[in-house]
Amino acid sequence: MTATRCGSLDRVSLLPALTGTFGDAPDAVRLGDHATDFAGLAETAAALSRRIGGAKTAAVVATSTLETVTAVLAGLHAHVPVVPIPPDAGPGERDHILRDSGADVLLNATTAPAGVEAVPPGQTDRAPWTEPQTARTALILYTSGTTGRPKGVPITGDAIAACLDGLADAWDWTSDDRLVHALPLYHVHGLVLGVLGALRTGSRLHHTGKPSPDLLAAAQGSLYFAVPTVWHRVAAAPEAARALGTARLLVSGSAALPAGVFTAIEKLSGQAPVERYGMTETLITVATRADGQRQPGAVGIPIKGVETRVDGNGALEVRGNTVFAGYLGRPDATAAAFTGDGWFRTGDIATIDDDGVHRIVGRASTDLIKTGGYRVGAGEIEDALLSHPAVHEAAVVGRPDDDLGQRIVAYVVADTVATETLVQHVATALSAHKRPREVVFVEALPRNAMGKIQKHRL
């Protein structure tokens, strides 16, 4: 096959693989044991879109299945913003997202709260596919709740196209590639890059279901996406790591890749991984190029259409085609997120060398924890802990962890209560991956004169 690349920032066709631009194959899109061709996926999604036409917003229970991909595409086809919800979200987290987004349809579900229509999976009808309008809001993704409840981030098709075209240029990503990953389908990494990226570039997609090193190796991809936790496990499985030596590019993202894992993957597979950087609000803005220098801790240079700078305190700011316009229904938060001249404040501390190579060296606050590839907000977990009747005070921090990158540690002032009770309380209220891995009971939390908790003293 001759490699084909989608034209840069093609506003006419957001997902050209669904219109036959790149040809087709019976297993063009595979998730676990289930596969379909591009044409079948497009026609099934178009049929499902008839069920949700006229809806304000369509939420999707984002399991790692073909049904989720179909549901997301149905929303895009119907010009209805799609809100992915983690399948393990607790009732509080799910209900907040449904209310805040104004969702009136919940796809991939058999039950839903009052006022929301549940549409179960299992769509089998077919209908003609037409491309969505890229200027519209395509997705509403939710932040990690760093300082309270998660905020909605509307993302347009134009921003998605800009991000994916920038990465296709940086990574020489084409229709000749076979993309393999096992990422969750409710955030930028797994959904935008890992699904819509394949449908924009025409690369074949194989989602292995579970992030098992053996399954990833057996998929025989040319392009791999994974989070540092998965790369750590691949490095600990030498046979699987060596099998990835036939791949063209190994990409790590969602958190910093430890230098030891970088070195181990390079030694076993014969090639160094590349890293990239982004946020929900900006999509991916910085990436190590396939033909660039690969260094541990370096996340690369800005993709096409993106500019970066650091302020006087070393905090990274970005602007460009991938950056969102503002939080859903949160004008105050939006105003605080941008500088007076229109740059988005990432909150991350970065360095930029003379060649433009970026390194993310820290967080402007201690309230964002990167664990197992997830960005988890300390504030959301603290709110969940405080909802337990035995807990009086709570502070959550991230601590270094060889496997997870950071593990979630909760310091609590509480009446007599078992550690496991609090862990399960959080896992039930929120998503399971947001539960504390350690609970430390203290008599009081350290505070300054203004009453603010001093987390650096914990």
Side-chain angles (χ1 to χ4, degrees):
M1 177 187 289
T2 301
T4 307
R5 190 192 302 285
C6 182
S8 179
L9 295 183
D10 182 351
R11 262 58 173 195
V12 176
S13 181
L14 176 61
L15 306 173
L18 300 180
T19 61
T21 299
F22 305 109
D24 214 338
D27 63 345
V29 178
R30 174 177 292 278
L31 283 88
D33 296 328
H34 302 280
T36 185
D37 56 12
F38 289 137
L41 178 62
E43 293 168 358
T44 304
L48 179 59
S49 74
R50 296 173 174 174
R51 295 282 304 273
I52 60 176
K56 178 182 178 182
T57 305
V60 177
V61 180
T63 55
S64 296
T65 61
L66 272 174
E67 285 80 7
T68 293
V69 176
T70 301
V72 170
L73 296 178
L76 299 183
H77 187 267
H79 299 140
V80 175
V82 176
V83 184
I85 296 179
D88 65 346
E93 182 178 12
R94 184 199 64 172
D95 290 351
H96 165 69
I97 293 174
L98 290 174
R99 288 195 304 271
D100 189 73
S101 66
D104 43 10
V105 175
L106 180 59
L107 300 170
N108 271 8
T110 55
T111 61
V116 180
E117 178 188 0
V119 179
Q123 176 71 31
T124 57
D125 295 337
R126 300 289 183 97
W129 171 266
T130 56
E131 278 287 274
Q133 298 175 19
T134 58
R136 292 174 176 263
T137 295
L139 303 172
I140 302 175
L141 303 181
Y142 273 76
T143 65
S144 302
T146 303
T147 56
R149 289 200 159 185
K151 298 184 287 290
V153 177
I155 298 172
T156 65
D158 282 342
I160 292 170
C163 171
L164 296 175
D165 288 348
L167 292 176
D169 172 74
W171 296 338
D172 197 26
W173 185 2
T174 73
S175 59
D176 272 352
D177 279 307
R178 180 177 178 83
L179 171 61
V180 176
H181 69 87
L183 299 163
L185 302 187
Y186 47 86
H187 54 29
V188 171
H189 200 171
L191 179 57
V192 177
L193 274 61
V195 173
L196 302 185
L199 300 180
R200 184 157 179 82
T201 62
S203 62
R204 276 37 180 176
L205 168 62
H206 185 167
H207 189 291
T208 61
K210 296 180 180 179
S212 159
D214 290 341
L215 290 176
L216 292 169
Q220 299 182 325
S222 64
L223 179 61
Y224 281 82
F225 293 165
V227 299
T229 296
V230 173
W231 288 126
H232 180 269
R233 294 170 185 172
V234 170
E239 186 175 343
R242 292 188 190 98
L244 297 186
T246 60
R248 186 179 64 80
L249 203 63
L250 309 178
V251 181
S252 182
S254 295
L257 184 66
V261 177
F262 180 103
T263 301
I265 292 294
E266 181 178 22
K267 180 179 179 179
L268 291 166
S269 71
Q271 62 169 298
V274 300
E275 295 188 68
R276 85 301 182 280
Y277 168 79
M279 301 178 66
T280 304
E281 293 92 335
T282 67
L283 303 181
I284 307 305
T285 52
V286 176
T288 299
R289 295 183 62 86
D291 58 359
Q293 187 175 4
R294 306 178 191 184
Q295 310 168 52
V299 294
I301 62 177
I303 65 172
K304 286 185 176 181
V306 172
E307 298 176 90
T308 64
R309 70 184 187 186
V310 292
D311 68 10
N313 296 316
L316 182 65
E317 298 172 350
V318 302
R319 71 178 179 185
N321 297 327
T322 69
V323 180
F324 82 138
Y327 295 107
L328 184 67
R330 300 287 296 276
D332 292 345
T334 299
F338 288 88
T339 65
D341 55 349
W343 292 72
F344 177 74
R345 297 184 171 104
T346 68
D348 284 314
I349 305 300
T351 62
I352 306 175
D353 69 16
D354 293 340
D355 295 322
V357 175
H358 292 54
R359 292 176 180 270
I360 308 300
V361 298
R363 184 68 186 166
S365 73
T366 60
D367 288 332
L368 188 65
I369 302 168
K370 296 182 178 180
T371 179
Y374 297 100
R375 297 166 68 92
V376 177
E380 189 180 14
I381 302 171
E382 289 161 359
D383 288 345
L385 286 166
L386 289 169
S387 70
H388 191 282
V391 176
H392 303 293
E393 295 182 279
V396 171
V397 299
R399 292 284 182 251
D401 186 277
D402 289 341
D403 185 45
L404 297 171
Q406 288 182 298
R407 69 181 184 278
I408 299 171
V409 180
Y411 291 81
V412 299
V413 178
D415 298 328
T416 302
V417 61
T419 294
E420 186 59 26
T421 298
L422 295 183
V423 170
Q424 289 302 316
H425 178 74
V426 174
T428 301
L430 304 175
S431 301
H433 68 263
K434 297 179 181 180
R435 69 192 186 281
R437 302 294 178 138
E438 182 181 348
V439 177
V440 180
F441 294 96
V442 295
E443 292 185 2
L445 296 176
R447 297 178 181 272
N448 62 17
M450 299 298 292
K452 185 176 181 179
I453 296 173
Q454 297 175 302
K455 291 190 175 182
H456 66 280
R457 294 176 56 191
L458 290 173

